[in-house]
């Protein structure tokens, strides 16, 4: 039997189960055909069969109309975007995130009062909003985010998932996993005297985060100048303009088109000003632009293809009445009952259930964060970095690939040559890798390859090279799937290079 027929029969079985024993129109047709065969054999049966058939037809119509309505509702859901909060440690990312959840009604007053008391007990009054996002004890004691916090809120037109990334440099790998799932970034900058400067200068996290966000595919950036209510700032236009003036050239150099893809706006995360509603002119007379919610709503994001081959990099897995995997759909759609492949170990699995946030759904399209319950695979056989992909068009699994790299900053004047080792971060994969061969250098001005053979390159160079990893990894060419084809190389906790896969 052909694989496709196999899958079809599985889908029909599961469809019949889904409708609680009520038959699908397609199945009914198949049965009618079978019945007409039987009638030839036994004319007496014909009389009994007919009324039943009429009934199933009526039922079918009802069921299919209900199913259509459900499908339509799911298709007409608000669009879904992942927003990652990035920026230097203590710029106020978690506080801003917490305030958004409070303003959009995701957290009630009682919880906030509880957090206020908790923060007071730790003599950290201004941290209470951050507690909404920083849920574990270590984060609360230090006041630093470690994991990537997740939360959901909605505006008029959009459902958002907030990814609150850590700002501290020891946790950059966690920030990478957060940003690789994001569609848009909110870069939080502290306007307080001295705080913006430390975040922005060399070695500050503001710089590294912006560069990472760009390579990880965060196409649109909202630069939120936070702590504008601070006594040293007091909504001063000069300070705001100074920050915008310093950040603009830097954002340009990181590859953002500042006119099209970046928007600056002043807020106060702690007081919740200019977030859900526009600023009061008494507080800040010079700001005429939108508030944060309006700005988030207005962002245009490129559409993904719901009919493309299915791809979902797995970021986490656990046991819950079966094996459950988590991730964000980068391409294609998934339904209950689908057969999929877990790559790179080529295990065929069946989709038992699909969840968006807490809700069970029949199908889900690209851009959604999902939890999928699978049968046919054990939880311990899945690692984060594996990719759930379609059977007909699976994701390539390789140990070697060719990529174009932009070298940012090597450690202590190291040179970049064949034999260079680093840690590769690509979608949810973290693997050790080695540069096997430098193929050609690219002239940054003309974008054309330089003719002469190269043996090594220095900071700032753009180079095409062959990269090898120890274990099989799932990647795609950048031109086919940007989300699965861009990566960063890091050594000793610093981002050394960013790149894109050119051939696998």
């Amino acid at each position: 039997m052909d694989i496709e027929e196999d899958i079809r029969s599985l889908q029909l079985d599961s469809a019949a189960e889904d409708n609680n024993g009520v038959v699908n129109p397609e199945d009914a047709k198949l049965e009618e055909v079978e019945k007409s065969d039987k009638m030839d054999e036994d004319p007496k049966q014909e009389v009994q069969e007919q009324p039943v058939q009429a009934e199933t037809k009526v039922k079918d119509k009802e069921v299919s109309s209900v199913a259509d309505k459900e499908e339509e509702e799911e298709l007409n859901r608000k669009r879904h975007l992942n927003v990652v909060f990035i920026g230097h440690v203590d710029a106020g990312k978690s506080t801003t995130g917490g305030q958004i959840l409070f303003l959009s009604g995701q957290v009630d007053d009682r919880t906030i009062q509880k957090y206020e008391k908790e923060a007071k007990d730790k003599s950290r009054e201004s941290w209470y909003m951050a507690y909404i996002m920083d849920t574990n004890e270590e984060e609360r004691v230090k006041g630093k985010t470690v994991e990537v916090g997740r939360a959901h809120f909605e505006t008029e037109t959009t459902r958002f998932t907030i990814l609150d990334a850590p700002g501290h440099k020891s946790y950059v790998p966690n920030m990478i996993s957060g940003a690789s799932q994001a569609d848009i970034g909110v870069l939080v900058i502290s306007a307080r005297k001295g705080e913006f400067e430390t975040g922005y200068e060399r070695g500050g996290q503001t710089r590294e985060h912006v560069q990472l966000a760009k390579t990880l595919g965060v196409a649109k950036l909202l630069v939120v100048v936070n702590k504008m209510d601070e006594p040293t700032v007091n909504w001063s236009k000069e300070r705001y303009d100074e920050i915008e003036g310093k950040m603009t050239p830097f954002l340009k150099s990181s590859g953002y088109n500042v006119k099209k893809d970046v928007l600056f706006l002043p807020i106060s995360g702690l007081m919740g000003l200019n977030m859900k509603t526009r600023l009061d002119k008494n507080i800040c007379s010079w700001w005429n632009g939108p508030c944060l919610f309006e700005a988030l709503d207005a962002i245009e994001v490129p559409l993904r293809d719901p009919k493309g081959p299915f791809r979902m990099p797995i970021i986490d897995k656990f046991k819950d009445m079966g094996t459950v995997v988590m991730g964000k759909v980068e391409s294609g759609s998934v339904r209950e009952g689908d057969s999929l492949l877990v790559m790179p170990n080529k295990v065929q699995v069946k989709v038992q259930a699909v969840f968006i946030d807490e809700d069970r759904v029949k199908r889900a399209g690209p851009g959604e964060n999902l939890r999928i319950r699978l049968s046919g695979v054990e939880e311990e056989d899945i690692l984060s970095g594996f990719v759930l992909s379609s059977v007909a068009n699976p994701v390539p699994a390789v140990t070697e690939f060719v990529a174009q790299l932009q070298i940012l900053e090597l450690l202590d004047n190291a040179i970049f040559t064949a034999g260079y080792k680093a840690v590769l971060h690509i979608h949810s994969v973290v693997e050790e890798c080695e540069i096997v061969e430098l193929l050609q250098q690219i002239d940054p001005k003309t974008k054309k390859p330089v003719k002469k053979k190269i043996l090594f390159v220095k900071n700032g160079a753009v180079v095409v090279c062959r990269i090898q990893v120890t274990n099989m990894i799932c990647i795609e060419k950048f031109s086919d799937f940007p989300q699965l084809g861009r990566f960063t190389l890091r050594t000793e906790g610093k981002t050394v290079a960013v790149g894109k896969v050119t051939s696998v």
Side-chain angles (χ1 to χ4, degrees):
M1 205 175 178
D2 199 358
I3 288 184
E4 283 183 16
E5 283 175 17
D6 247 356
I7 295 166
R8 188 168 163 70
S9 64
L10 283 173
Q11 284 173 339
L12 289 176
D13 292 349
S14 69
E17 287 162 23
D18 281 351
N19 298 344
N20 301 334
V22 176
V23 189
N24 239 6
E26 288 177 29
D27 300 349
K29 276 182 207 156
L30 287 176
E31 277 171 30
E32 275 173 40
V33 175
E34 282 166 24
K35 281 169 191 160
S36 65
D37 291 349
K38 280 182 197 162
M39 285 176 205
D40 298 342
E41 297 158 23
D42 186 352
K44 283 178 198 165
Q45 263 192 333
E46 201 172 322
V47 187
Q48 298 160 351
E49 292 276 357
Q50 273 192 318
V52 180
Q53 253 173 276
E55 269 176 43
T56 51
K57 275 190 183 163
V58 175
K59 266 190 181 174
D60 281 343
K61 275 189 184 154
E62 285 170 22
V63 169
S64 65
S65 69
V66 169
D68 287 349
K69 270 187 194 156
E70 272 183 15
E71 286 265 294
E72 255 177 49
E73 271 172 30
E74 280 179 18
L75 289 173
N76 295 340
R77 294 176 74 138
K78 296 179 181 176
R79 65 177 188 158
H80 173 261
L81 289 181
N82 281 340
V83 187
V84 65
F85 277 73
I86 56 178
H88 193 65
V89 61
D90 283 350
K93 296 181 292 298
S94 300
T95 298
T96 307
Q99 185 67 262
I100 287 178
L101 294 180
F102 175 58
L103 291 172
S104 57
Q106 303 291 323
V107 185
D108 55 20
D109 287 341
R110 281 191 48 205
T111 318
I112 291 281
Q113 282 160 4
K114 186 181 113 203
Y115 289 156
E116 270 194 78
K117 184 180 176 305
E118 230 179 274
K120 265 216 175 79
D121 295 347
K122 295 194 168 97
S123 63
R124 293 275 187 264
E125 281 107 8
S126 68
W127 286 1
Y128 71 94
M129 275 292 175
Y131 282 11
I132 301 173
M133 293 302 289
D134 292 346
T135 44
N136 73 28
E137 200 46 40
E138 177 196 5
E139 296 183 320
R140 291 184 174 179
V141 172
K142 289 187 185 165
K144 286 182 191 146
T145 308
V146 178
E147 295 293 327
V148 175
R150 280 173 174 267
H152 313 280
F153 74 100
E154 294 193 10
T155 58
E156 303 283 302
T157 61
T158 317
R159 291 177 300 127
F160 289 101
T161 300
I162 299 181
L163 305 165
D164 176 29
H168 197 277
K169 66 168 179 285
S170 356
Y171 307 122
V172 167
N174 298 9
M175 176 259 160
I176 290 179
S177 78
S180 65
Q181 300 157 50
D183 302 295
I184 49 183
V186 174
L187 173 63
V188 185
I189 288 178
S190 162
R192 188 186 278 167
K193 278 267 184 295
E195 279 191 9
F196 163 66
E197 285 72 11
T198 46
Y200 173 70
E201 265 131 36
R202 280 195 176 281
Q205 259 36 66
T206 306
R207 276 171 171 270
E208 186 174 17
H209 278 197
V210 170
Q211 286 166 336
L212 285 171
K214 183 62 189 168
T215 13
L216 295 165
V218 178
K220 308 277 180 183
L221 207 55
L222 286 182
V223 182
V224 175
V225 182
N226 189 16
K227 307 196 185 181
M228 289 296 286
D229 57 317
E230 235 274 321
T232 61
V233 184
N234 205 359
W235 297 97
S236 128
K237 184 168 182 356
E238 287 73 50
R239 178 65 170 160
Y240 176 79
D241 289 346
E242 176 196 352
I243 291 175
E244 185 172 346
K246 278 192 179 163
M247 283 306 294
T248 305
F250 171 63
L251 290 167
K252 275 189 183 147
S253 70
S254 300
Y256 281 99
N257 175 339
V258 178
K259 283 198 180 69
K260 271 185 20 201
D261 300 336
V262 179
L263 181 68
F264 284 84
L265 60 149
I267 64 159
S268 158
L270 187 62
M271 313 303 285
L273 299 172
N274 204 28
M275 290 180 75
K276 192 175 184 183
T277 47
R278 293 195 169 201
L279 268 176
D280 192 333
K281 287 282 178 236
N282 305 335
I283 300 174
C284 175
S285 54
W286 49 270
W287 179 251
N288 299 318
C291 61
L292 185 60
F293 279 29
E294 290 172 336
L296 285 170
D297 256 349
I299 283 184
E300 294 291 317
V301 167
L303 290 167
R304 292 190 184 80
D305 182 8
K307 293 192 167 57
F310 185 71
R311 298 281 183 271
M312 185 182 103
I314 294 169
I315 52 169
D316 206 356
K317 39 105 200 226
F318 53 90
K319 270 198 167 92
D320 176 18
M321 292 162 50
T323 302
V324 179
V325 294
M326 286 169 63
K328 173 183 160 197
V329 181
E330 296 294 3
S331 148
S333 304
V334 61
R335 291 167 182 271
E336 278 186 20
D338 278 0
S339 288
L340 296 172
L341 271 184
V342 175
M343 293 293 284
N345 49 5
K346 298 195 176 67
V347 176
Q348 195 155 353
V349 293
K350 191 172 170 193
V351 176
Q352 301 286 4
V354 181
F355 296 90
I356 295 180
D357 304 341
E358 301 303 314
D359 312 328
R360 186 167 176 170
V361 293
K362 284 269 187 292
R363 55 167 306 230
E368 295 285 1
N369 300 329
L370 302 183
R371 294 204 312 271
I372 299 182
R373 184 178 297 133
L374 302 172
S375 64
V377 66
E378 286 303 314
E379 180 246 357
E380 51 268 18
D381 297 336
I382 295 180
L383 299 172
S384 66
F386 282 14
V387 177
L388 209 51
S389 72
S390 65
V391 179
N393 185 343
V395 56
V398 298
T399 53
E400 194 171 279
F401 60 96
V402 176
Q404 181 177 323
L405 279 182
Q406 158 99 44
I407 314 262
L408 300 175
E409 223 176 313
L410 298 168
L411 293 178
D412 306 328
N413 304 333
I415 55 169
F416 189 86
T417 152
Y420 189 92
K421 289 187 167 63
V423 178
L424 168 82
H425 291 260
I426 182 163
H427 60 85
S428 48
V429 173
V430 182
E431 269 291 336
E432 296 210 338
C433 73
E434 182 177 337
I435 309 298
V436 196
E437 180 186 6
L438 301 189
L439 300 171
Q440 52 195 169
Q441 188 165 357
I442 289 183
D443 186 332
K445 290 194 181 74
T446 61
K447 302 269 190 292
K448 291 198 169 73
V450 178
K451 286 211 171 84
K452 69 173 209 269
K453 184 92 178 86
I454 45 161
L455 295 171
F456 67 91
V457 290
K458 292 186 177 156
N459 281 354
V462 177
V463 58
V464 177
C465 55
R466 185 175 289 124
I467 299 177
Q468 201 175 42
V469 286
T470 34
N471 299 317
M472 279 273 198
I473 58 168
C474 297
I475 56 174
E476 292 271 11
K477 276 164 49 178
F478 181 79
S479 50
D480 300 344
F481 286 91
Q483 298 85 354
L484 303 182
R486 58 175 120 236
F487 62 90
T488 55
L489 293 184
R490 306 190 61 200
T491 37
E492 295 178 26
K494 274 184 85 170
T495 305
V496 222
V498 295
K500 53 187 186 188
V501 178
T502 52
S503 74
V504 289

